[in-house]
Amino acid sequence: MQRAPGKVLHDAVCNHLNLVEGDYFGLEFPDHKKMMVWLDLLKPVMKQIRRPKHVVVKFVVKFFPPDHAQLQEELTRYLFALQVKQDLAQGRLTCNDTSTALLISHIVQSEIGDFDENIDREHLAKNKYIPQQEALEDKIMEFHRNHMGQTPAESDFQLLEIARRLEMYGIRLHPAKDREGTKINLAVANTGILVFQGHTKINAFNWAKVRKLSFKRKRFLIKLRPDVNSSFQDTLEFLMASRDFCKSFWKICVEHHAFFRLFEEPKPKPKPVLFSRGSSFRFSGRTQKQVLDYVKEGGHKKVQFERKHSKIRSIRSLTTQPSEQHTEVPKQSSSFAYGDDNDAAAVQSCRQGKELKASTEDTGQHKSPSLKKSPKEGRKVDGAVVSTVEEEEEASKDRIQQNRPQSQQPSTAGSLTGSPHLSELSINSQGGPSVVNMSLSPNLSPDAKQSSPLISPLLNDPSCIRTEEEEEVRRKRFPTEKAYFIAKEVATTERTYLKDLEVITSWFQSAVSKEDCMPETLKNLIFSNFEPLHKFHTGFLKEIEQRLALWEGRSNAHIKGDYQRIGDVMLKNIQSMKQLTIHLWKHNEILMELENGIKNSRKLETFCRDFELQKVCYLPLNTFLLRPLHRLMHYKQIMERLCKHYPPAHVDFRDSRAALAEISEMVAQLHGNMIKMENFQKLHELKKDLIGIDNLVIPGREFIRLGSLSKLSGKGLQQRMFFLFNDILLYTSRGLTASNQFKVHGHLPLYGMTIEESEEEWGVPHCLTLRGQQQSIIVAASTRSEMDKWTEDIQMAIDLAEKSSGPAPELLASSPPDNKSPDETTVDQESEDDLSASRTSLERQSPHRGNTTVHVCWHRNTSVSMIDFSIAVENQLSGNLLRKFKNSNGWQKLWVVFTNFCMFFYKSHQDNHPLASLPLLGYSLTIPSESENIHKDYVFKLHFKSHVYYFRAESEYTFERWMEVIRSATSSASRTRALSHKEPHAY
């Protein structure tokens, strides 16, 4: 046997078990360096297992299919169930309390049958499925009570149904580092290669995107297919502990790709005549498709397998009705041991030897002599003991405990350690409770030390920030279902939306009533259309918060029924909201009439400018007028996430889908109006930032991009602010004016313009030459990506201008004359004071308009497009975050509103105005590295130059949502990528 290839040993084990679908399994053993490796089916066994007498070979699941329904044989599903049980005990399959209890309840049902409180308690006392199981026993029995009449096979099916939805199902983590030295974990699954930070998945590379996998010494390389919509580099590099670790993981990836993606086993490569290059390793065996076809076609001998309760004898023997001895797996399999760390099917618990072994023979007897390893039954295959003992029991427990540091604070509901680490796991197909995944990780609680004052460069009132002690931060046992956090997002963002409405209905209306500056018709138009919205959403928010209170168990009302849902509330209110559509159609008229009033009345213009200086008006005034339309889109996105999360059988799915259909219809109706209003609002906003041009807002003009570029002149490169429209390109400089406006120095009509790269000609990196019909300018971007974005947008604008009937003189009438040569413009006449003023930081707050997007782009030397603004409208979020500075010890609890590329900080959601703001354009969004000693879950890091901030979310779902929305601000998308991003949405 030793001289035979590994495939012979693998087939012998499968035949021994009468296992038809053995291709999903593999043989695993420790090599000479104690590293666990898979048995290569092509190499001789003797070349892989050097000292067979001292090696334990384990038969375990190797390939986890996306759907356990693809497993045709009941025996295969049973072995998969054993694997889930083993992974749960060893801490590989990390779950929250709800998930764990539900999984164990199905295991208990399969082992002892229907619920009986006394028998359940005794069984759980004797069988430990996870460490510290005692805290979950009541919940386990509560779930077990619901499984009455469920057969062992059905229990296995339900166990796999729940487990397959967990993020860590079938995942084996391989430690590595990225290019920046950040510690991560790599894993491979049926879908592709996954990247984890701890137990949180932070990235995934689907097989369809992977062009080539390779390794070079300790470096694991992933070469991706070219994709204009992707922000990833062509080749990704990860550093592993050693060459052996790297090669082992590479082999696993090759095998997973072949098994799940290929139709048939790959053919061996021809041997080279002279020199061999690279590894000759290839996947050997049937692919998943071949296995499915083989079983469906009935090409195997059918072996009868009846799944029975595995432990009913030992427990029920206490009663007057002892059960008969029975065997699940055919008798010839009795000598083979299958890995499981607890008493499972036909389990022989070798606790005295500190080993836990489980046989696939589900006899359920307690006659230990018949189960002990005799020389005959403990059969060896040429000296190699075929077993699946992972480690000693204590070692396994110690490893789990190391992954589960205990906090002194009370734990949050649904978490083994108080950390609600969520995944997209919905309820099972039987309509049972929603199960959510979570990693075994420290409590989500702030440090117990006093935090330092808020020292952001953008703080207005740092002394007002509230510091939270660890015991004061959200310690109630809240639910951990993903649906709950989606519902909570509705509530948190609705609070912000209501505050935004109050800026118009309360603050602006109160200010207008004190000043005789606005015509009565305009007053009636604005407030008669906003007040009904405010009234409706006040009631809507109250209803959502009441539902959340019931969901969290905070309400004293004894209401019977299913309240752990939100789709019914959304459907009811969205249907009522349709009656307010008449007011939403008026918003276009409101925006235009207000701007016309400002244009025609100096008094109204001054009044609106002064109102925008108030702290409560944290955004441009006309942005608040668009909020109701933006909010519709947020409802649509939330319902899309909810419907994607729910399985069709969920009790809340029908209402959620109906609500999605209703809100999608409203969004579609207002789509065209929204596009026009956003462009109209942006042109008026830019008009306030510019001096030297009067008629910026004219019919037909569309904003495309703004940003900082360096212009090459006789004095060298000088920073300028550029504004690209569909007919003209303006360039400006920032001087010392009371309003911090940008002075227009020149313009280039796009009609007839050409653009070309000119790095070699001028010796300037990222350099472009823009040649107009009358003049040319040379500009340089800060980075290659910035240059590509400008090139793409300018070329698109030129193409649009060429398709038009030609330049329209009236569009350029009030633009400043610029008859100078490319090397000589009015920009060169600036004083040194002007130039130094242009380099002031955002820390220097000016009386007016010192913190708009234009100024942020100027200081951060970046750019944004109209598409970026549209994406920013979609990516708005509110909620509590804990914040920490680079050199501080404590965490501060803040209410944070993210909108318009900026984070606004409040003491609580009840505050009327923010204490500080942090524009994120130019910032980098990462996850803290191990060296930063941020030993907390759900932490992300924002840094720009010397400014570093850490933020902590309350759950995996909220962490991922904050990462998603902030990434939209910190990484400006190219036009092609952004358009691809927006395809599923109505805007």
Side-chain angles (χ1 to χ4, degrees):
M1 177 66 76
Q2 286 190 22
R3 297 181 181 277
K7 183 173 176 57
V8 174
L9 176 59
H10 183 270
D11 290 347
V13 174
C14 294
N15 292 334
H16 182 74
L17 291 173
N18 285 318
L19 182 62
V20 176
E21 298 172 298
D23 303 82
Y24 289 102
F25 301 82
L27 294 170
E28 192 179 41
F29 65 94
D31 65 3
H32 63 286
K33 294 183 179 180
K34 303 301 180 183
M35 182 178 72
M36 298 303 298
V37 295
W38 293 101
L39 186 73
D40 191 326
L41 301 186
L42 296 179
K43 287 185 178 181
V45 174
M46 64 179 298
K47 288 188 176 182
Q48 301 181 68
I49 305 176
R50 302 288 184 180
R51 303 173 64 189
K53 292 184 179 180
H54 303 279
V55 174
V56 176
V57 180
K58 294 166 252 185
F59 184 74
V60 292
V61 177
K62 186 175 185 179
F63 302 111
F64 289 80
D67 187 356
H68 61 280
Q70 295 174 338
L71 304 176
Q72 306 293 314
E73 297 288 305
E74 190 170 320
L75 173 60
T76 311
R77 289 194 292 273
Y78 167 57
L79 296 180
F80 265 77
L82 286 182
Q83 185 69 62
V84 169
K85 181 182 173 186
Q86 183 184 41
D87 290 347
L88 193 65
Q90 294 177 346
R92 277 182 179 167
L93 185 59
T94 53
C95 317
N96 64 13
D97 284 357
T98 307
S99 304
T100 305
L102 191 56
L103 288 169
I104 295 175
S105 70
H106 284 295
I107 295 174
V108 172
Q109 176 71 19
S110 71
E111 292 182 349
I112 65 174
D114 290 343
F115 174 80
D116 182 294
E117 185 171 355
N118 294 329
I119 295 176
D120 271 37
R121 290 197 182 279
E122 183 175 350
H123 179 77
L124 291 173
K126 292 183 177 181
N127 297 272
K128 299 300 180 185
Y129 300 99
I130 58 169
Q132 299 180 354
Q133 178 177 292
E134 294 78 9
L136 293 179
E137 287 186 359
D138 289 340
K139 187 175 287 189
I140 293 171
M141 290 192 293
E142 180 183 345
F143 284 135
H144 186 202
R145 191 191 304 270
N146 299 327
H147 305 331
M148 297 291 288
Q150 191 168 280
T151 66
E154 291 171 342
S155 296
D156 290 344
F157 191 89
Q158 290 301 322
L159 179 71
L160 296 178
E161 175 67 22
I162 298 164
R164 76 180 182 91
R165 297 176 182 269
L166 297 172
E167 191 167 70
M168 296 301 294
Y169 173 64
I171 296 299
R172 294 195 176 195
L173 300 177
H174 300 260
K177 293 181 180 179
D178 61 14
R179 283 186 173 179
E180 298 177 354
T182 303
K183 289 185 179 180
I184 57 168
N185 289 307
L186 297 179
V188 62
N190 58 81
T191 56
I193 299 173
L194 311 177
V195 183
F196 287 80
Q197 186 86 37
H199 286 82
T200 302
K201 186 171 69 175
I202 60 175
N203 221 329
F205 304 100
N206 292 337
W207 294 126
K209 297 180 180 179
V210 177
R211 180 182 174 188
K212 182 180 180 182
L213 295 174
S214 60
F215 70 96
K216 188 174 183 180
R217 297 185 180 89
K218 296 193 295 183
R219 291 183 297 151
F220 180 72
L221 306 173
I222 304 175
K223 192 166 187 177
L224 301 177
R225 298 185 186 278
D227 186 0
V228 294
N229 300 326
S230 175
S231 62
F232 295 114
Q233 302 173 3
D234 177 57
T235 303
L236 301 173
E237 181 179 315
F238 301 94
L239 190 67
M240 306 195 82
S242 66
R243 180 185 182 277
D244 290 343
F245 275 101
C246 195
K247 184 176 182 180
S248 176
F249 181 65
W250 172 77
K251 285 183 175 181
I252 297 170
C253 293
V254 170
E255 290 179 316
H256 272 73
H257 176 268
F259 183 77
F260 288 108
R261 296 281 291 181
L262 300 185
F263 290 154
E264 58 185 19
E265 178 184 352
K267 296 179 181 179
K269 296 180 181 179
K271 293 185 177 180
V273 179
L274 296 176
F275 303 102
S276 63
R277 186 177 181 182
S279 174
S280 61
F281 175 79
R282 66 180 177 87
F283 171 74
S284 176
R286 294 179 297 190
T287 65
Q288 187 190 28
K289 184 180 185 303
Q290 289 177 313
V291 175
L292 293 174
D293 293 344
Y294 175 74
V295 177
K296 288 178 181 177
E297 292 169 1
H300 62 288
K301 183 180 178 181
K302 192 73 175 178
V303 178
Q304 192 66 29
F305 175 79
E306 183 183 0
R307 177 77 167 92
K308 296 182 179 180
H309 299 298
S310 57
K311 296 192 176 181
I312 192 169
R313 172 82 176 178
S314 61
I315 298 295
R316 309 281 172 160
S317 61
L318 301 175
T319 68
T320 58
Q321 298 177 350
S323 60
E324 294 183 1
Q325 175 181 344
H326 56 270
T327 301
E328 287 189 10
V329 183
K331 291 182 180 180
Q332 63 265 32
S333 67
S334 61
S335 63
F336 186 78
Y338 186 86
D340 194 328
D341 270 359
N342 282 306
D343 298 276
V347 176
Q348 164 58 25
S349 178
C350 304
R351 287 189 175 86
Q352 294 178 350
K354 296 183 179 178
E355 283 187 346
L356 297 176
K357 300 181 181 181
S359 166
T360 53
E361 177 191 14
D362 206 283
T363 59
Q365 299 183 84
H366 261 19
K367 296 182 180 180
S368 54
S370 66
L371 293 174
K372 287 182 178 178
K373 288 280 185 182
S374 65
K376 179 180 179 181
E377 291 174 332
R379 189 171 61 137
K380 298 181 180 180
V381 183
D382 283 7
V385 181
V386 183
S387 173
T388 55
V389 180
E390 280 290 314
E391 293 183 7
E392 294 185 350
E393 184 178 8
E394 279 77 10
S396 177
K397 286 185 177 181
D398 289 342
R399 184 173 63 254
I400 296 175
Q401 291 296 334
Q402 289 172 4
N403 292 331
R404 300 178 55 214
Q406 295 298 307
S407 170
Q408 297 177 356
Q409 299 300 321
S411 64
T412 303
S415 168
L416 289 176
T417 57
S419 178
H421 200 86
L422 304 179
S423 73
E424 295 186 11
L425 179 61
S426 61
I427 69 159
N428 60 49
S429 60
Q430 299 297 317
S434 180
V435 185
V436 193
N437 178 30
M438 142 188 164
S439 71
L440 303 173
S441 50
N443 267 338
L444 180 61
S445 60
D447 294 354
K449 300 178 181 179
Q450 278 303 81
S451 62
S452 61
L454 216 57
I455 54 173
S456 162
L458 299 174
L459 284 187
N460 299 321
D461 189 6
S463 62
C464 293
I465 293 297
R466 177 178 61 192
T467 301
E468 294 291 323
E469 295 282 349
E470 184 167 15
E471 65 270 14
E472 296 174 347
V473 179
R474 198 182 178 275
R475 293 294 93 196
K476 288 191 175 181
R477 295 181 63 83
F478 286 149
T480 56
E481 299 95 336
K482 180 177 179 179
Y484 163 77
F485 286 104
I486 293 176
K488 191 171 182 182
E489 182 181 338
V490 177
T492 56
T493 52
E494 190 72 11
R495 288 171 182 167
T496 299
Y497 173 53
L498 204 57
K499 285 289 184 183
D500 288 347
L501 289 179
E502 288 172 0
V503 172
I504 300 297
T505 60
S506 297
W507 298 91
F508 188 61
Q509 186 173 12
S510 176
V512 166
S513 64
K514 298 175 184 178
E515 299 284 343
D516 185 20
C517 60
M518 183 180 290
E520 286 297 324
T521 54
L522 182 56
K523 286 183 187 179
N524 294 334
L525 179 63
I526 296 175
F527 303 122
S528 65
N529 285 288
F530 269 82
E531 286 174 347
L533 295 176
H534 179 266
K535 181 179 179 181
F536 171 80
H537 286 280
T538 300
F540 183 24
L541 176 60
K542 184 177 180 181
E543 192 169 347
I544 295 172
E545 290 179 335
Q546 287 175 344
R547 175 57 60 87
L548 284 175
L550 290 170
W551 203 329
E552 295 165 0
R554 292 186 285 115
S555 176
N556 293 324
H558 300 286
I559 300 177
K560 296 182 179 180
D562 184 11
Y563 48 77
Q564 293 188 347
R565 50 191 296 196
I566 194 65
D568 56 333
V569 177
M570 296 299 295
L571 177 60
K572 170 191 168 186
N573 284 276
I574 288 173
Q575 289 174 338
S576 301
M577 206 181 299
K578 297 184 79 172
Q579 301 174 9
L580 301 173
T581 306
I582 185 172
H583 300 293
L584 299 177
W585 280 109
K586 290 285 186 178
H587 283 38
N588 189 17
E589 183 182 352
I590 292 172
L591 187 61
M592 295 185 70
E593 289 300 321
L594 179 60
E595 293 298 342
N596 287 335
I598 292 173
K599 181 179 180 181
N600 297 325
S601 171
R602 176 75 65 176
K603 189 174 182 180
L604 181 58
E605 180 185 8
T606 304
F607 169 79
C608 290
R609 185 181 67 240
D610 291 342
F611 180 78
E612 286 189 330
L613 292 176
Q614 296 185 27
K615 290 183 179 180
V616 72
C617 191
Y618 67 101
L619 297 173
L621 178 60
N622 54 16
T623 301
F624 291 102
L625 299 178
L626 294 179
R627 276 295 191 251
L629 292 179
H630 295 167
R631 189 59 181 156
L632 294 181
M633 187 163 50
H634 300 158
Y635 293 141
K636 180 174 180 287
Q637 291 177 325
I638 288 171
M639 297 315 300
E640 285 174 344
R641 281 194 294 274
L642 195 61
C643 289
K644 183 179 179 182
H645 165 67
Y646 283 144
H650 194 279
V651 65
D652 201 26
F653 179 76
R654 179 174 296 180
D655 286 342
S656 299
R657 187 171 59 179
L660 175 60
E662 295 278 2
I663 195 64
S664 298
E665 181 183 351
M666 292 181 66
V667 168
Q669 290 175 353
L670 295 161
H671 173 222
N673 203 31
M674 179 71 179
I675 296 295
K676 294 176 183 177
M677 290 176 65
E678 282 187 338
N679 183 69
F680 183 80
Q681 182 266 340
K682 187 52 59 183
L683 290 176
H684 276 281
E685 186 62 22
L686 294 178
K687 180 182 175 182
K688 300 174 185 177
D689 283 310
L690 298 175
I691 55 174
I693 183 168
D694 296 327
N695 60 345
L696 183 68
V697 184
I698 56 175
R701 176 166 288 168
E702 296 179 8
F703 164 70
I704 297 176
R705 180 176 289 274
L706 65 86
S708 173
L709 294 171
S710 296
K711 180 176 176 293
L712 185 62
S713 67
K715 293 186 178 181
L717 289 172
Q718 294 180 317
Q719 186 181 9
R720 299 291 174 260
M721 198 69 187
F722 281 73
F723 299 84
L724 176 65
F725 303 93
N726 63 334
D727 62 325
I728 190 173
L729 177 66
L730 301 177
Y731 55 93
T732 68
S733 66
R734 180 176 179 269
L736 280 177
T737 61
S739 59
N740 278 332
Q741 291 172 296
F742 287 82
K743 181 181 178 182
V744 177
H745 283 281
H747 69 267
L748 276 77
L750 297 181
Y751 186 80
M753 179 188 286
T754 60
I755 180 173
E756 59 186 48
E757 293 188 25
S758 50
E759 292 187 17
E760 296 183 0
E761 180 181 354
W762 297 100
V764 178
H766 321 307
C767 185
L768 297 170
T769 300
L770 306 177
R771 303 187 187 278
Q773 290 184 333
Q774 297 181 353
Q775 72 172 105
S776 301
I777 60 172
I778 298 100
V779 297
S782 57
T783 63
R784 179 74 192 186
S785 62
E786 278 292 305
M787 185 186 78
D788 291 341
K789 293 171 189 174
W790 277 105
T791 302
E792 186 178 2
D793 281 351
I794 292 175
Q795 188 59 59
M796 181 206 66
I798 292 172
D799 294 341
L800 291 175
E802 293 292 337
K803 293 177 182 178
S804 66
S805 57
E810 66 272 11
L811 299 185
L812 313 177
S814 63
S815 298
D818 190 352
N819 299 320
K820 295 183 179 291
S821 66
D823 293 334
E824 188 179 5
T825 69
T826 56
V827 171
D828 300 335
Q829 308 304 318
E830 291 176 336
S831 67
E832 291 301 315
D833 290 337
D834 291 337
L835 295 176
S836 64
S838 69
R839 291 191 290 269
T840 56
S841 73
L842 286 176
E843 297 179 48
R844 179 183 179 190
Q845 295 298 320
S846 301
H848 184 50
R849 309 199 60 75
N851 204 21
T852 65
T853 305
V854 177
H855 289 81
V856 175
C857 288
W858 172 267
H859 293 295
R860 304 275 168 82
N861 207 15
T862 186
S863 68
V864 292
S865 68
M866 188 62 197
I867 289 180
D868 292 324
F869 281 107
S870 298
I871 293 175
V873 167
E874 299 177 10
N875 290 285
Q876 297 181 14
L877 197 59
S878 308
N880 286 313
L881 286 176
L882 297 171
R883 185 177 68 172
K884 179 184 180 299
F885 294 102
K886 183 178 182 180
N887 298 318
S888 66
N889 294 323
W891 293 85
Q892 301 160 318
K893 184 179 180 182
L894 299 169
W895 176 262
V896 183
V897 174
F898 175 80
T899 184
N900 283 34
F901 311 107
C902 189
M903 297 177 81
F904 295 92
F905 303 105
Y906 300 74
K907 285 190 293 184
S908 75
H909 68 86
Q910 297 172 332
D911 291 355
N912 293 318
H913 61 81
L915 295 168
S917 62
L918 181 64
L920 297 185
L921 288 173
Y923 265 76
S924 297
L925 174 66
T926 58
I927 295 175
S929 62
E930 192 73 22
S931 61
E932 293 175 88
N933 295 321
I934 306 294
H935 303 299
K936 303 292 181 183
D937 291 322
Y938 321 126
V939 177
F940 58 89
K941 173 185 174 183
L942 286 167
H943 59 98
F944 174 76
K945 296 184 178 178
S946 62
H947 302 295
V948 178
Y949 307 95
Y950 301 100
F951 294 92
R952 291 169 56 196
E954 64 178 348
S955 68
E956 183 179 4
Y957 173 79
T958 51
F959 168 79
E960 290 175 348
R961 285 289 294 133
W962 280 107
M963 291 282 286
E964 178 185 353
V965 299
I966 292 175
R967 190 176 287 117
S968 70
T970 55
S971 56
S972 176
S974 68
R975 173 165 294 272
T976 307
R977 180 175 145 209
L979 286 172
S980 173
H981 167 83
K982 288 170 65 62
E983 281 175 1
H985 305 295
Y987 293 99

